């Protein structure tokens, strides 16, 4: 070869060399990262998958005698003042979203009164959280399932700190002494285990419906039988109207609570779920088992029991969904137009002072 | 020469990296198998800032959904219900001349009714020979139930509640999970799927959904057990479509049958036969799901804009010619 061709060839080789080196570096880096990610996870235990397929049952509605009421629902368009057109009333699987203005309390009460139901409420007042009990119970007596039999199940490690509150007829407080955990995340997550355990011991025989609530809340407005159904989830007020890509689902495939991007219906609140005892039992048992699997894989879901709840409700669609009226934070979120009522409100608290004490 | 050897080295390095990447890509696939299988269904996020149908009522005051096109995702619902291995039953009465409707009913049902589910058709007839053989898809069966014919069509109509109730007690409760009781002189035109499944399901009568309730053709004579007073009532439901979980349908038909017997003892027949009794009962035992007139249409009526889809409708026929 003459020197000019040699130079040309050298130049070509050099250019191609740079291209290939850059590509090699990129691929090398990518594959290294990739391999490290996967080899770092320990093998899955051969535990049975926790997935259930259950019928999303619609609740039974029977009324012994005829019902008379004022307004006849017309199928064609009504004026905005009479019904809600600003919000969706149904999920895509036809579960009602229980907005104010969409239901008639009298008709619903007529349907439920004849059935002699008892509603159980589970609240966890571990360590310093006992201070929330008084306000919770007092406001519940004013607003929650008024006229129905209610059992408040207070899970606590400080039974002497459970306040004595005057209760309406047919309502009682049952104190259940449980162990505490040093981390607040563990306290939160073990609620699932405790609720599922007590289902067999107590709930199956004593109550028809279970409502599992956070204790650092207060009732501010009516919460009644309109919320009762086979399986009920509540929309987290902080994510209402947000795109599902921003939902703080667990995004790591290693966790049992994993929900990939592009999937998911709503972001449900960990502090307000419920339904028929059988359904709540299945939910809490599944979440507890999922958390155990995660623990053995040394992973903790980003929002703990709430992440697992969201996974469960994605796979087992709730039969009723409660809008953010049922769980609001006025300090953080104000009072937007779509919110006609604030039925339950977060009680302001100092996180640093309360947690882990 | 130096550059060339360096180039060769770089190519080798690249190929090695590609090889490693491919190897590591295999790992997620095997790891995924250890996780529970994730549902593959993709659908857009449900909207929370707007309503799907603003022109029609989609929820009753007792929070029963009113099912119409646009309010549900049928793929999602079918995906939720199909794995449950449910059997859906259909009862239809083909008495006397009404046997001529069986073929079209069944053929259209095969195309549109509960696709992908196990379906049992129960055709009640006084003339089993007249029931045509219609090819059915796998997982779908036809049973012919012989019943007594009556000279008056009103009598035939009124006996349906009793027949369905007895059938559930003897066979139905073992064979189906959900049961729909449909009129035979109808045709399916569009999909009828899992969106209709519910504990107790009623359908709005196509003739009365825009009409105030004092104009509903309820039974207005206090002597009848089907009596509905002024100021009572929610919707006027059609007798041609009702259903639900088999236990609920058993209770419902039993209640209607008792009411019909009481009327008979008093020598009175309700204005619209068992449809009157059905409407009376649905006031005190409200349906958990209501089907819009898409699911029970009358082809003689002009289709209003609020009706996006007609799924099940009457066959245009000379009804006087057929009855008796």
């Amino acid at each position: 070869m003459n020197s000019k061709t040699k130079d040309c060839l050298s130049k070509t080789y050099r250019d191609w060399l740079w291209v290939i080196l850059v590509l090699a570096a990129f691929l090398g880096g990518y594959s290294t990262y990739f391999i490290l990610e996967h080899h770092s996870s320990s093998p899955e235990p051969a535990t049975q998958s926790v997935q259930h397929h259950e019928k999303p049952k619609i609740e039974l509605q029977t009324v012994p005698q005829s019902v008379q009421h004022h307004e006849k629902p017309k199928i064609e368009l009504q004026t905005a003042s009479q019904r809600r057109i600003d919000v969706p009333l149904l999920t895509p699987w036809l579960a009602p979203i229980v907005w104010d203005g969409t239901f008639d309390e009298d008709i619903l009460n007529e349907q439920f009164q004849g059935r002699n139901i008892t509603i159980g409420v589970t609240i966890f007042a571990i360590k310093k959280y006992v201070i929330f009990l008084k306000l919770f119970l007092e406001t519940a007596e004013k607003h929650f399932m008024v006229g129905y039999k209610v059992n408040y199940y207070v899970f606590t490690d400080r039974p002497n700190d459970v306040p004595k509150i005057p209760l309406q007829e047919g309502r009682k407080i049952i104190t259940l002494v449980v162990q505490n955990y040093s981390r607040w995340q563990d306290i939160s997550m073990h609620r699932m285990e405790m609720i599922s355990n007590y289902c067999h011991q107590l709930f199956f025989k004593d109550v028809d419906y279970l409502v599992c609530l956070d204790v650092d809340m207060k009732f501010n407005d009516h919460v009644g039988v309109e919320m009762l159904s086979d399986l009920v989830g509540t929309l987290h007020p902080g994510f209402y109207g947000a795109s599902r890509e921003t939902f703080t689902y667990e995004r790591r495939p290693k966790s049992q609570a994993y929900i990939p991007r592009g999937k998911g219906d709503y972001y449900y609140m960990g502090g307000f779920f419920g339904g028929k005892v059988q359904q709540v039992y299945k939910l809490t048992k599944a979440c507890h088992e999922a958390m155990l699997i995660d623990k053995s894989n040394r992973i903790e879901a980003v929002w703990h029991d709430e992440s697992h709840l969201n996974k469960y409700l994605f796979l087992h669609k709730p039969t009723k969904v409660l809008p953010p009226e049922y769980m609001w934070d006025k300090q953080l979120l104000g009072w937007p137009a779509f919110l006609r009522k604030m039925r339950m409100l977060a009680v302001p608290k100092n996180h640093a002072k309360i947690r882990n004490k | 020469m130096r550059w060339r050897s360096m180039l060769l080295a770089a190519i080798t390095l690249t190929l090695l990296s590609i090889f490693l990447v491919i190897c590591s890509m295999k790992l997620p696939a095997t790891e995924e198998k250890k996780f529970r299988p994730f549902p593959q269904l993709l659908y857009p996020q449900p909207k929370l800032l707007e309503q799907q149908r603003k022109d029609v009522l989609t929820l009753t005051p007792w929070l029963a959904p009113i099912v119409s096109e646009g309010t549900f995702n049928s793929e999602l619902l079918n995906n939720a219900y199909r794995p449950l291995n449910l059997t859906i039953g259909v009862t239809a009465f083909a008495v006397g001349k009404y046997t001529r409707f069986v073929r079209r009913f069944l053929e259209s049902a095969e195309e549109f009714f509960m696709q992908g589910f196990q379906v049992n058709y129960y055709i009640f007839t006084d003339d089993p020979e007249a029931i045509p053989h219609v090819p059915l898809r796998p997982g779908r069966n036809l049973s012919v139930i012989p019943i007594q014919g009556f000279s008056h069509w009103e009598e035939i109509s009124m006996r349906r509640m009793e027949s369905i109730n007895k059938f559930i007690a003897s066979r139905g409760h073992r064979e189906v999970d959900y049961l729909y009781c449909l009129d035979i002189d109808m045709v399916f035109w569009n999909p009828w799927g899992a969106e209709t499944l519910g504990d107790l399901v009623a359908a709005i009568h196509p003739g009365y959904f825009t009409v105030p309730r004092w104009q509903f053709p309820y039974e207005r004579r206090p002597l009848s057990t089907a009596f509905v007073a002024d100021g009572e009532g929610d919707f006027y439901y059609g007798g041609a479509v009702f259903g639900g979980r088999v236990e609920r349908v058993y209770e419902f038909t039993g209640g209607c049958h008792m009411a019909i017997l009481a009327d008979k003892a008093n020598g009175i027949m309700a204005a619209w036969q068992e449809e009157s009794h059905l409407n009376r009962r649905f006031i005190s035992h409200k349906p958990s799901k209501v089907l819009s007139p898409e699911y029970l249409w009358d082809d003689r009526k002009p289709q209003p804009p609020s009706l996006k889809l007609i799924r099940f409708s009457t066959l245009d026929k000379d009804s006087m010619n057929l009855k008796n």
Side-chain angles (χ1 to χ4, degrees):
Chain A
M1 274 184 217
N2 61 24
S3 65
K4 217 175 183 179
T5 327
K6 245 191 192 170
D7 277 326
C8 272
L9 278 169
S10 292
K11 201 161 176 239
T12 321
Y13 284 145
R14 230 185 309 164
D15 293 335
W16 277 107
L17 182 67
W18 281 117
V19 171
I20 301 238
L21 274 175
V22 168
L23 191 65
F26 173 75
L27 282 170
Y30 178 74
S31 63
T32 311
Y33 166 79
F34 216 68
I35 291 166
L36 268 180
E37 261 289 286
H38 280 274
H39 281 304
S40 66
S41 63
S42 45
E44 302 295 319
T47 324
Q48 174 123 80
S49 156
V50 190
Q51 187 179 34
H52 305 282
H53 278 296
E54 276 305 319
K55 296 175 205 199
K57 289 190 188 126
I58 314 288
E59 53 180 315
L60 294 179
Q61 291 174 336
T62 50
V63 166
Q65 63 262 43
S66 70
V67 177
Q68 288 205 11
H69 45 276
H70 315 289
E71 199 60 45
K72 179 206 89 110
K74 278 180 79 164
I75 184 152
E76 298 239 307
L77 185 63
Q78 287 183 319
T79 58
S81 59
Q82 286 178 299
R83 67 182 181 95
R84 302 293 296 268
I85 55 167
D86 57 326
V87 288
L89 305 183
L90 292 170
T91 67
W93 59 93
L94 295 172
I97 305 176
V98 189
W99 293 100
D100 181 60
T102 62
F103 58 91
D104 184 321
E105 266 176 55
D106 296 327
I107 300 179
L108 287 166
N109 278 324
E110 277 226 280
Q111 289 186 325
F112 277 91
Q113 288 287 10
R115 288 161 56 186
N116 198 24
I117 51 166
T118 306
I119 297 112
V121 181
T122 65
I123 34 177
F124 288 75
I126 310 274
K127 296 197 271 200
K128 266 220 157 113
Y129 274 72
V130 288
I131 58 166
F132 294 110
L133 281 172
K134 187 165 184 293
L135 187 62
F136 180 97
L137 291 168
E138 280 176 347
T139 54
E141 281 298 291
K142 277 175 72 182
H143 298 290
F144 181 77
M145 302 288 175
V146 173
Y148 290 88
K149 287 192 270 186
V150 174
N151 291 357
Y152 300 102
Y153 296 99
V154 179
F155 292 74
T156 184
D157 60 337
R158 300 180 185 180
N160 295 326
D161 291 343
V162 177
K164 304 247 181 305
I165 312 280
L167 299 176
Q168 300 281 343
E169 206 189 309
R171 298 160 84 100
K172 48 185 165 172
I173 296 175
I174 294 129
T175 305
L176 301 168
V177 183
V178 293
Q179 72 166 113
N180 62 38
Y181 294 87
S182 48
R183 292 174 69 233
W184 67 266
Q185 298 90 333
D186 286 316
I187 295 171
S188 183
M189 292 196 290
H190 276 274
R191 297 191 294 181
M192 291 292 186
E193 177 186 29
M194 293 188 211
I195 294 168
S196 65
N197 285 347
Y198 274 93
C199 280
H200 279 298
Q201 292 178 46
L202 271 182
F203 303 146
F204 277 126
K205 23 180 202 70
D206 286 359
V207 300
D208 303 281
Y209 291 90
L210 267 178
V211 182
C212 306
L213 297 171
D214 274 356
V215 74
D216 52 350
M217 309 288 296
K218 65 177 183 194
F219 289 87
N220 188 56
D221 210 321
H222 165 95
V223 174
V225 292
E226 73 282 350
M227 69 152 278
L228 295 178
S229 188
D230 278 22
L231 184 61
V232 183
T234 306
L235 300 179
H236 192 299
F239 293 93
Y240 182 74
S243 148
R244 58 154 78 128
E245 304 312 310
T246 66
F247 290 169
T248 55
Y249 291 144
E250 174 53 63
R251 299 296 190 186
R252 291 166 294 175
K254 189 176 157 189
S255 167
Q256 297 295 301
Y258 170 58
I259 298 180
R261 301 219 176 259
K263 291 201 194 268
D265 308 302
Y266 307 105
Y267 193 77
Y268 299 100
M269 181 89 195
F272 196 148
F273 63 91
K276 291 225 170 99
V277 183
Q278 178 65 17
Q279 299 303 320
V280 175
Y281 172 66
K282 288 193 165 117
L283 182 156
T284 50
K285 185 161 178 278
C287 287
H288 169 57
E289 284 171 1
M291 284 189 270
L292 285 179
I293 295 173
D294 267 9
K295 199 168 187 176
S296 70
N297 289 331
R298 296 195 300 275
I299 186 168
E300 188 172 277
V302 60
W303 283 103
H304 325 104
D305 46 304
E306 186 173 89
S307 304
H308 290 276
L309 175 85
N310 271 280
K311 178 65 176 276
Y312 186 87
L313 290 178
F314 172 65
L315 295 175
H316 309 78
K317 312 270 184 233
T319 55
K320 250 185 198 166
V321 171
L322 301 182
E325 292 171 6
Y326 286 80
M327 186 65 102
W328 194 251
D329 188 328
K330 204 163 164 194
Q331 250 89 340
L332 272 170
L333 303 163
W335 197 337
F338 65 81
L339 212 68
R340 287 193 186 175
K341 288 205 169 141
M342 293 186 205
R343 301 182 191 273
M344 273 199 94
L345 290 168
V347 172
K349 68 182 191 275
N350 184 329
H351 286 278
K353 273 191 172 173
I354 287 291
R355 285 176 174 167
N356 301 337
K357 292 232 161 27
Chain B
M1 293 306 281
R2 217 183 78 224
W3 286 114
R4 194 162 69 166
S5 54
M6 280 181 79
L7 182 65
L8 282 168
I11 291 169
T12 317
L13 206 74
T14 314
L15 288 171
L16 189 69
S17 301
I18 293 169
F19 174 71
L20 282 171
V21 168
I22 292 168
C23 281
S24 59
M25 270 176 171
K26 284 208 170 76
L27 290 171
T30 44
E31 274 207 27
E32 284 287 289
K33 286 194 187 111
K34 290 180 195 174
F35 290 95
R36 77 187 76 161
F38 212 94
Q40 290 309 303
L41 188 63
L42 282 168
Y43 50 86
Q45 180 183 0
K47 293 185 167 67
L48 272 176
L49 299 172
E50 59 186 69
Q51 208 169 82
Q52 302 94 322
R53 290 291 300 270
K54 294 193 175 123
D55 54 333
V56 289
L57 198 63
T58 53
L59 199 58
T60 68
W62 60 94
L63 296 172
I66 303 176
V67 186
S68 49
E69 182 65 9
T71 61
F72 62 92
N73 181 328
S74 51
E75 226 187 321
L76 202 164
L77 280 161
N78 283 326
N79 265 42
Y81 279 101
R82 281 200 188 123
L84 305 178
N85 271 331
L86 302 166
T87 304
I88 318 291
V90 179
T91 63
F93 286 73
V95 177
K97 285 188 177 160
Y98 278 67
T99 49
R100 71 180 63 180
F101 298 115
V102 175
R103 178 177 292 282
R104 273 206 80 181
F105 178 91
L106 288 174
E107 282 174 350
S108 61
E110 280 300 287
E111 206 187 328
F112 294 113
F113 181 79
M114 294 290 178
Q115 296 145 323
F117 288 87
Q118 286 170 292
V119 174
N120 290 357
Y121 301 103
Y122 300 99
I123 307 289
F124 294 67
T125 183
D126 59 340
D127 188 4
E129 308 287 303
I131 305 300
H133 174 74
V134 175
L136 302 177
R137 291 174 202 248
R140 298 162 83 101
N141 306 298
L142 173 74
S143 294
V144 177
I145 318 269
I147 53 161
Q148 189 184 355
F150 290 93
S151 49
H152 296 287
W153 69 267
E154 295 95 341
E155 189 67 38
I156 298 165
S157 186
M158 297 280 267
R159 291 272 176 180
R160 296 199 303 181
M161 290 293 180
E162 182 187 16
S163 306
I164 294 166
N165 186 262
K166 288 204 159 97
F167 157 77
I168 295 174
S170 61
R171 267 179 78 170
H173 72 277
R174 282 183 279 110
E175 294 180 11
V176 303
D177 301 289
Y178 290 86
L179 189 67
Y180 291 94
C181 307
L182 307 176
D183 270 6
I184 194 81
D185 54 346
M186 316 269 296
V187 175
F188 292 90
W189 302 102
N190 272 295
W192 173 310
E195 72 279 359
T196 61
L197 293 174
D199 277 11
L200 187 61
V201 184
I204 293 174
H205 193 294
Y208 299 95
F209 66 98
T210 54
V211 145
R213 72 177 160 197
W214 61 267
Q215 286 182 25
F216 288 173
Y218 287 142
E219 173 53 64
R220 298 297 190 183
R221 292 167 294 174
L223 181 64
S224 168
T225 52
F227 169 63
V228 178
D230 267 333
E232 270 193 293
D234 310 299
F235 303 102
Y236 193 75
Y237 303 109
V241 172
F242 68 94
R245 297 187 69 85
V246 69
E247 319 82 58
R248 298 298 300 275
V249 177
Y250 175 73
E251 281 166 20
F252 188 83
T253 50
C256 286
H257 173 57
M258 289 292 125
I260 292 170
L261 282 182
D263 265 11
K264 212 167 186 171
N266 288 328
I268 187 169
M269 175 151 70
W272 286 100
Q273 298 79 48
E274 93 271 26
E275 187 177 88
S276 304
H277 290 276
L278 175 140
N279 271 280
R280 171 70 252 171
R281 196 159 177 89
F282 272 134
I283 294 172
S284 51
H285 300 74
K286 296 198 189 307
S288 64
K289 199 172 246 184
V290 174
L291 305 181
S292 67
E294 291 173 10
Y295 293 85
L296 173 49
W297 190 245
D298 182 346
D299 276 340
R300 290 168 299 186
K301 297 184 134 28
Q303 187 174 347
S306 59
L307 209 76
K308 302 292 174 204
L309 201 60
I310 293 173
R311 302 174 196 268
F312 189 56
S313 70
T314 51
L315 265 181
D316 217 335
K317 65 186 183 290
D318 181 6
S319 59
M320 291 310 292
N321 185 27
L322 277 163
K323 289 167 179 167
N324 307 328

